Amino acid sequence: MKHIFLLIFLISTIGFSQDLVGIVNDDTEQPLIGVLVETRAGLKTRTNMNGEFTLPVKSYPVTLTFKFFDFKTATETVLKPMEGERLIVSMIPLAQNLEGVVVSASRREQK
């Protein structure tokens, strides 16, 4: 009887959440460290040193928002990933190109 109860408990807890795994890169495919990944339900995590994240998701579809300083906020809706599949997100930098920098100096006459 105890084994049946334990088996039912394990089966029910397995179905409650599944880890969504992914990686966040910049436009040159370099991993981004510390990107905030959050769901509309309020679950949050950050990417690690390799740009990877793991987020426990209870149901699909789920909408994820990716935020990072000096990058455009990205939003992805995940329907249902295949077993072992990783979400790959590429973020676009908000860099502004400067055409040139002018440095000027003047000397003031001293009395």
Side-chain angles (χ1 to χ4, degrees):
M1 183 68 173
K2 290 181 185 179
H3 296 293
I4 294 173
F5 178 73
L6 181 62
L7 182 64
I8 292 172
F9 176 74
L10 289 175
I11 290 172
S12 65
T13 56
I14 290 171
F16 277 84
S17 100
Q18 179 182 358
D19 285 345
L20 177 61
V21 179
I23 186 166
V24 182
N25 296 322
D26 64 7
D27 58 344
T28 63
E29 296 188 12
Q30 295 297 313
L32 293 174
I33 303 165
V35 175
L36 176 65
V37 182
E38 62 182 324
T39 66
R40 289 188 178 164
L43 294 173
K44 298 179 183 179
T45 191
R46 290 207 180 259
T47 57
N48 65 13
M49 297 295 285
N50 298 319
E52 300 167 333
F53 68 91
T54 302
L55 195 64
V57 176
K58 292 185 179 180
S59 65
Y60 290 94
V62 62
T63 301
L64 302 175
T65 304
F66 301 87
K67 297 178 183 177
F68 197 54
F69 181 72
D70 276 346
F71 282 82
K72 183 178 178 184
T73 299
T75 304
E76 295 285 334
T77 300
V78 180
L79 300 177
K80 177 98 171 142
M82 301 288 273
E83 185 70 30
E85 184 179 17
R86 294 172 60 173
L87 177 67
I88 300 173
V89 178
S90 183
M91 295 187 74
I92 301 168
L94 291 175
Q96 298 177 0
N97 293 331
L98 299 176
E99 290 185 18
V101 177
V102 177
V103 178
S104 64
S106 64
R107 185 172 178 155
R108 228 173 108 183
E109 189 176 312
Q110 297 180 355
K111 293 184 181 181

